[in-house]
């Protein structure tokens, strides 16, 4: 059987602490029944669930693997990072790196996933997998939900299995030049929009010895003091990925791959 793998991330907080309670404090709602993890934002998703902001470093992430079902539709494999599915605690307090996922077809929620596997019917064009805390708030980074969106085949999955799609055209490469001096990063850290399949070259010069780390891709690069260092990678995952230094803990940039 043909396997279609679409990797997405946005880059998951490590599960820690004790077991989540399934009860609220008197007078609180699901979304207010929190263990103090993250910052509850005013922003909401389409269903009215509030976003719960966490730092990008170590935030929850999810990748999606699609397998055409032998009858119809797709079998969906959720590959989470630093995240645990906790169906036994649904409705309780929000704890770091715990909760469930919700599946949206063409932007409309169709199911919840309390484990790494799910099934979606044929006919939709896009699938979005979004991570939620036990209290039904949405895990978020920089004001945006932590989610993975993949494009489904325009035809029935059985036909897609018999006729694999043509490989995508690889966009031209790009180069980001970054200079680190003390606690200063130039140009100032910002989000860089990129396309899946694009080749990216990072040219970094640091005034002190350090190590560059590209989250989500697990790529590292030694940075010698005062000398430029170069790292080239192919962006084969979609999502939000942070580039930082290990020793100084500086965020150099954020890569948004679509």
């Amino acid at each position: 059987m043909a396997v279609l793998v679409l990797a997405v991330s946005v880059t998951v907080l490590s599960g820690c602490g004790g077991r989540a309670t399934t009860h609220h404090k008197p007078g609180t709602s699901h979304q207010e029944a929190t263990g103090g993890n993250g910052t509850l934002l005013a922003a909401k998703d389409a269903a009215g669930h509030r976003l719960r902001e966490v730092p990008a470093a170590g935030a929850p992430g999810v990748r999606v693997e699609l397998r055409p079902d032998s009858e119809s539709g797709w079998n969906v494999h959720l590959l989470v990072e630093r995240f645990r599915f906790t169906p036994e605690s649904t409705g309780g307090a929000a704890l770091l790196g715990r909760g469930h996922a919700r599946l949206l077809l063409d932007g409309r929620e169709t199911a919840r996933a309390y484990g790494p596997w799910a099934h979606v019917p044929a006919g939709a064009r896009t699938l979005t997998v979004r991570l939620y805390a036990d209290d039904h708030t949405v895990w978020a980074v920089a004001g945006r939900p932590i989610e993975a969106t993949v494009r489904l085949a325009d035809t029935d999955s059985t036909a897609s299995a018999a006729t694999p799609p043509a490989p995508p055209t690889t966009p031209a490469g790009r180069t980001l030049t970054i200079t680190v001096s003390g606690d200063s990063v130039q140009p100032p850290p910002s989000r860089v929009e990129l396309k899946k399949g694009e080749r990216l070259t990072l040219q970094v010069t640091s005034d002190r010895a350090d190590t560059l780390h590209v989250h989500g891709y697990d790529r590292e690069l030694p940075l010698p003091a005062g000398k430029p260092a170069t790292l080239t990678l192919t962006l084969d995952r979609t999502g939000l990925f942070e580039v930082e230094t290990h020793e100084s803990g500086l965020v150099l940039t954020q890569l948004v791959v679509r």
Side-chain angles (χ1 to χ4, degrees):
M1 178 182 296
V3 177
L4 172 61
V5 178
L6 297 174
V8 186
S9 168
V10 194
T11 352
V12 182
L13 290 168
S14 300
C16 60
R19 176 173 174 171
T21 176
T22 57
H23 299 286
H24 309 155
K25 293 181 180 180
T28 64
S29 68
H30 282 287
Q31 296 176 350
E32 294 168 336
T34 171
N37 297 305
T39 302
L40 198 59
L41 305 180
K44 300 179 181 180
D45 67 3
H49 301 98
R50 293 177 66 181
L51 273 57
R52 185 175 296 278
E53 179 90 32
V54 294
V62 58
R63 294 185 292 117
V64 179
E65 178 182 286
L66 296 177
R67 301 186 180 187
D69 187 83
S70 59
E71 292 187 352
S72 65
W74 301 92
N75 294 314
V76 182
H77 190 193
L78 309 184
L79 303 170
V80 296
E81 299 174 340
R82 300 176 296 279
F83 186 81
R84 285 179 54 195
F85 291 100
T86 51
E88 73 281 1
S89 301
T90 301
L95 293 181
L96 300 181
R98 300 188 182 191
H100 61 276
R102 301 193 182 204
L103 279 60
L104 296 84
L105 292 176
D106 295 336
R108 299 183 62 182
E109 182 179 331
T110 59
R112 297 185 192 180
Y114 293 98
W117 285 95
H119 178 269
V120 297
R125 300 179 66 86
T126 61
L127 166 67
T128 297
V129 176
R130 186 176 295 160
L131 297 181
Y132 287 74
D134 284 328
D135 66 349
H136 303 288
T137 53
V138 188
W139 291 116
V141 169
R144 299 181 61 183
I146 295 175
E147 61 185 26
T149 298
V150 296
R151 186 175 179 82
L152 303 174
D154 293 334
T155 58
D156 185 80
S157 60
T158 54
S160 299
T163 308
T169 302
T170 301
R174 293 179 58 182
T175 299
L176 297 180
T177 302
I178 301 173
T179 302
V180 180
S181 179
D183 293 332
S184 174
V185 178
Q186 293 297 329
S190 62
R191 289 189 176 183
V192 180
E193 297 280 344
L194 299 154
K195 294 182 179 180
K196 183 181 178 182
E198 191 170 352
R199 286 177 62 83
L200 173 67
T201 298
L202 296 169
Q203 294 182 346
V204 181
T205 303
S206 173
D207 63 345
R208 54 188 165 181
D210 211 323
T211 301
L212 177 78
H213 183 206
V214 182
H215 285 280
Y217 285 86
D218 293 327
R219 295 289 300 274
E220 294 188 349
L221 174 70
L223 299 176
K227 297 181 179 180
T230 301
L231 173 65
T232 300
L233 67 158
T234 299
L235 303 172
D236 56 3
R237 298 181 181 179
T238 57
L240 174 65
F241 306 97
E242 196 164 76
V243 180
E244 66 173 5
T245 55
H246 272 175
E247 298 299 326
S248 57
L250 296 175
V251 176
L252 304 187
T253 189
Q254 289 183 329
L255 310 178
V256 181
V257 185
R258 303 184 187 281

